[in-house]
Structure formats: C-alpha cells, structure tokens
Amino acid sequence: MLELIVISSLNGILFGMLLFLMASGLTVIFSMLGVLNFAHASFYMLGAFFGFQISRWVGFWPALVLAPLLAGLIGIAVERYGLRHVHKNGHVAELLFTFGLAFAIEEVVQIIWGKSPVDFRVPAVLDFPAFTIFSTNYPAFKMFMLLVSVAIFLSLLLVLKKTRVGLIVQAALTHPHMVAHLGHNVGRIFMLVFGVGTALAAVAGVIAGPALVTQSNMAALLGPILFVVVVVGGLGSLPGAFIASLLIGLLQTFAVSINTSPASLFGPLDPAWATTWLSDIWNVTVAQVAPVLPYLLLVLVLIFRPMGLLGTRET
C-alpha cells in the first residue's frame, strides 16, 4: 500500500505538472484575449513532433530549445495574421478559427509524419533508473520531466510577479486600454504572450514525447482534459490552473492504480440480479472509470462553484 501511494503520488504530480505547462499558457491567453484556444493542445503535439525530428538531426538537447521556439513562432504568426483579424468578429468566430486550426495542424502532421507512432526515444544520458522505491525503479527521465516542469512554473511565477515585463503583462490582462495610453504596444504584448503560451505547450510535448506515445492524435487525446483543468481552476486564474492540474493528475493516477469494484468489496450480487445491467455496474473497477473522473469533477465544479476553484464570476 505504501509503495502504491508513493509511486502514484510521484506519477500524479508529474502528470499534473505537464498539464500545468499547457494550462498555464492557455490560461494567460484566455485572460488577455478572452478566447479559449481550441488549437492549444495541437501546439503540444507540434512540440513533440518537432522535438522528434530535430533530435534525429542534432540530438535531444538542442531539440528541447529549438522545438518550443519553432512552435512559439508559429503561435506568433497565428495570432498576428489570423486570430487578430478574426477577433473583431466576436468570440464565435475565434472559437471556429481555433477549432479549424486544430484540424489543420493534425492533418499537416499526418501528411508529414503519418498516423503511426514515431520512435521518439529517451536520451541515452537519462535512460537509467534515478532511484529505487520498494523494488520499483523510477526512471531518471521522469524526474527530469518533473524538474523542468517545476523550474518553468517557478520562472513563470517570478516573471509575472517580480519583473517589469510581468507587471506590464498583468496590467494588459485587465486594463489593456490604460496600458496602451501609457505608451506600450498592446498588440505586440498580445502576440508575444500568445507565442509564449504555445511555446510552453510545445515544451510539454518535447519532454512528454519520449515518455508517452508521440502520434498524430495525441492532441485530441489530451485536449479535452486540458479544458477541464482550465475550467476547474477558474477561467483566467493561473494559481487555479496549477491547483487543478495537480488535483486532476493525482486523481487520475490514483484511480488508475486502484483495481477495486463494488463486487470485490461487498461480494457478488444476488443471483436474481446476476443477468441484469446492475451486474455489469457492480463489477466495474475504479481503474475502468478513471478516464471519466476528471469530467465528473468538472460537472460537480460547474454545479456547485461555476466560477472554478480560484476564478471569479467576471472571468
């Protein structure tokens, strides 16, 4: 039991921090532009594929820098030449634009790299067990993923809270007209923040690609849960996104590791009910319903606290 708790906690925190890397950029983008970017998870996928391709040419470490940079530049171009022009037509046009962009990116990825998973491997220098807990070897690359995620979170927090650039960005989130009157180029700030947000998603893709499966549908697999994080944490709340990311990461990781059902706890149903649909529900394990739990949490949050954990009604 102790081994289960320790390993599941490590994996849950790791998964939660990866979610936060993407949710943080999406949260800041929503706070500033007022639009939920449905293509945000696609930049996570681009980061993974860019990282795979660049690592084959020059190695993993240059790929860790170049892949997010490329994804960030694409994000800047999307905001400057696409989203900025769509913005004047309202939120529906913005949502449709990003929704279509997600499909376009997926099709381009399939054309270039195909639909099958690519062989994105863990770098040899980190391909060893970092430590052993209860006879379980914990990979060094997963610890590297956790350290990178924590370092980026702390850096983002310091930049937003302690630097002049962070103060300007925070002011532009809530009072863009005032910032513009003070002589700052708000359009350029929007563009750079959008690029940084997409680059953060790409960082998550590069470091998650070797540990998870890098394939053309990875954005569709992770995109929905990303929006669960943003809504549960509170739209526009960066601390809320952090708490929600860890909460959902731990919830899903612990649920997957629990192979318990009502039948195993209370025994089989009465023979009269054995051939009914109740028998199927009675034998369902917690691990089998684990993918549904984040969405159940979303429903409960929307019912009892519609603004999210740390959000406000105004957002």
Side-chain angles (χ1 to χ4, degrees):
M1 179 59 70
L2 184 59
E3 179 181 3
L4 175 67
I5 293 174
V6 172
I7 298 299
S8 296
S9 296
L10 285 172
N11 290 333
I13 292 172
L14 173 62
F15 182 49
M17 291 304 297
L18 285 175
L19 287 177
F20 176 75
L21 274 183
M22 292 182 288
S24 59
L26 185 58
T27 299
V28 174
I29 289 170
F30 174 81
S31 299
M32 181 169 287
L33 301 179
V35 60
L36 283 174
N37 179 16
F38 276 100
H40 196 73
S42 299
F43 288 94
Y44 158 77
M45 177 176 66
L46 280 179
F49 277 97
F50 285 164
F52 160 72
Q53 193 64 53
I54 296 173
S55 66
R56 294 184 65 183
W57 293 337
V58 294
F60 176 80
W61 302 110
L64 184 58
V65 176
L66 295 176
L69 182 61
L70 286 175
L73 291 175
I74 294 175
I76 287 174
V78 166
E79 196 283 329
R80 175 63 182 84
Y81 299 105
L83 197 57
R84 184 176 301 185
H85 298 285
V86 176
H87 183 71
K88 59 185 177 182
N89 296 318
H91 295 307
V92 174
E94 293 169 339
L95 292 175
L96 291 175
F97 173 79
T98 58
F99 192 70
L101 180 63
F103 281 101
I105 292 176
E106 182 176 345
E107 289 298 323
V108 171
V109 167
Q110 289 180 358
I111 291 172
I112 297 175
W113 288 283
K115 295 183 178 181
S116 301
V118 297
D119 188 19
F120 194 4
R121 297 187 179 183
V122 173
V125 69
L126 293 175
D127 192 12
F128 65 92
F131 51 83
T132 302
I133 300 180
F134 304 106
S135 72
T136 299
N137 293 327
Y138 202 79
F141 188 74
K142 285 191 174 183
M143 291 304 300
F144 168 74
M145 294 166 63
L146 181 59
L147 291 176
V148 170
S149 301
V150 172
I152 290 178
F153 166 64
L154 294 177
S155 300
L156 187 62
L157 199 62
L158 287 174
V159 168
L160 288 176
K161 299 296 183 182
K162 301 296 184 181
T163 66
R164 185 172 179 270
V165 173
L167 293 176
I168 295 173
V169 169
Q170 288 186 87
L173 296 181
T174 53
H175 301 88
H177 297 295
M178 184 64 71
V179 173
H181 289 318
L182 291 174
H184 299 289
N185 190 330
V186 176
R188 185 178 298 170
I189 295 173
F190 285 1
M191 182 177 64
L192 293 177
V193 169
F194 195 92
V196 170
T198 54
L200 287 175
V203 171
V206 176
I207 63 177
L212 306 177
V213 179
T214 301
Q215 55 188 3
S216 60
N217 67 340
M218 61 191 300
L221 294 175
L222 199 58
I225 199 171
L226 182 60
F227 287 98
V228 173
V229 170
V230 174
V231 175
V232 169
L235 291 174
S237 173
L238 196 61
F242 176 72
I243 294 173
S245 298
L246 290 180
L247 178 62
I248 291 173
L250 290 169
L251 173 66
Q252 196 158 24
T253 304
F254 271 97
V256 168
S257 63
I258 299 175
N259 196 29
T260 303
S261 66
S264 64
L265 292 175
F266 306 106
L269 285 175
D270 186 89
W273 300 93
T275 58
T276 65
W277 58 271
L278 288 174
S279 177
D280 295 331
I281 296 178
W282 196 250
N283 289 281
V284 171
T285 64
V286 176
Q288 289 175 313
V289 299
V292 182
L293 293 181
Y295 304 99
L296 178 60
L297 176 63
L298 172 65
V299 172
L300 294 175
V301 168
L302 289 175
I303 292 173
F304 296 105
R305 190 174 174 81
M307 71 288 293
L309 297 178
L310 298 181
T312 61
R313 290 193 181 274
E314 286 74 20
T315 58

